[in-house]
Amino acid sequence: QLKDAQYNLTESENKYETLARKLQTMEAEAERSNERAETVEIKFMDIEDELKVVGQNQQTLEVSEEKSLEREEKLQKQIKELMTKLKIADTRSENAEMDIGRLNVRIDKVEEDLVIEKMKIKSVSDDLNKCFDDMLYI
């Protein structure tokens, strides 16, 4: 009986040591798991913070986009108005150039008429001078 008790004691001690080692291993693993869980929680909170920042940035970008679209629409409208004004100015310029051409032709004609009239006046003046000279020498 003593041998059986000693044998049982030895077996129990061996089982206890095995279980104690397993317990230590499990406790170490639990501690590492807790540390990893804390690390994951910290990373999760960091990611949540980053997500909030990204959300705020997205809202800011959306507002900026809306403002940019409004500005673009205004500028497109302004471009259309300026293009219309340019077409009108081009038409007026072409009309003015045609008017200038007509006026130049008319000026040339008036100058020609003036030269002809001056020649007529000179001719009449020469005739008149000749008549006066003839009257003086008669």
Side-chain angles (χ1 to χ4, degrees), residues 59-90:
Q59 287 177 343
T60 303
L61 289 174
E62 287 173 356
V63 169
S64 295
E65 180 186 20
E66 288 176 19
K67 288 181 182 178
S68 293
L69 289 174
E70 288 174 7
R71 239 178 91 219
E72 182 181 0
E73 287 175 12
K74 286 179 184 177
L75 291 175
Q76 289 291 349
K77 185 178 178 182
Q78 192 175 18
I79 287 171
K80 286 180 184 179
E81 290 173 0
L82 290 173
M83 291 298 286
T84 303
K85 287 180 182 180
L86 177 64
K87 287 178 184 177
I88 291 170
D90 281 344

Side-chain angles (χ1 to χ4, degrees), residues 23-138:
L23 178 62
Q24 284 178 339
T25 304
M26 295 294 260
E27 285 176 346
E29 285 180 16
E31 190 174 324
R32 283 194 301 266
S33 294
N34 285 336
E35 289 173 1
R36 277 187 263 148
E38 288 174 8
T39 304
V40 168
E41 284 178 9
I42 290 171
K43 285 182 182 179
F44 182 75
M45 288 188 295
D46 289 344
I47 290 172
E48 280 183 335
D49 290 342
E50 285 181 37
L51 186 59
K52 286 178 186 176
V53 170
V54 168
Q56 290 171 348
N57 288 344
Q58 183 179 2
Q59 287 177 343
T60 303
L61 289 174
E62 287 173 356
V63 169
S64 295
E65 180 186 20
E66 288 176 19
K67 288 181 182 178
S68 293
L69 289 174
E70 288 174 7
R71 239 178 91 219
E72 182 181 0
E73 287 175 12
K74 286 179 184 177
L75 291 175
Q76 289 291 349
K77 185 178 178 182
Q78 192 175 18
I79 287 171
K80 286 180 184 179
E81 290 173 0
L82 290 173
M83 291 298 286
T84 303
K85 287 180 182 180
L86 177 64
K87 287 178 184 177
I88 291 170
D90 281 344
T91 303
R92 288 178 63 200
S93 173
E94 289 173 8
N95 290 340
E97 286 175 5
M98 289 190 295
D99 288 345
I100 289 171
R102 278 181 278 196
L103 287 173
N104 283 335
V105 168
R106 205 165 153 203
I107 288 171
D108 290 342
K109 177 69 175 141
V110 168
E111 285 176 346
E112 287 176 21
D113 290 346
L114 182 63
V115 168
I116 291 171
E117 290 300 319
K118 280 184 177 181
M119 288 174 59
K120 285 180 185 178
I121 290 173
K122 183 164 178 8
S123 174
V124 169
S125 176
D126 288 344
D127 287 345
L128 204 64
N129 282 336
K130 188 177 179 192
C131 280
F132 283 138
D133 286 343
D134 286 346
M135 285 171 61
L136 285 172
Y137 294 112
I138 298 185

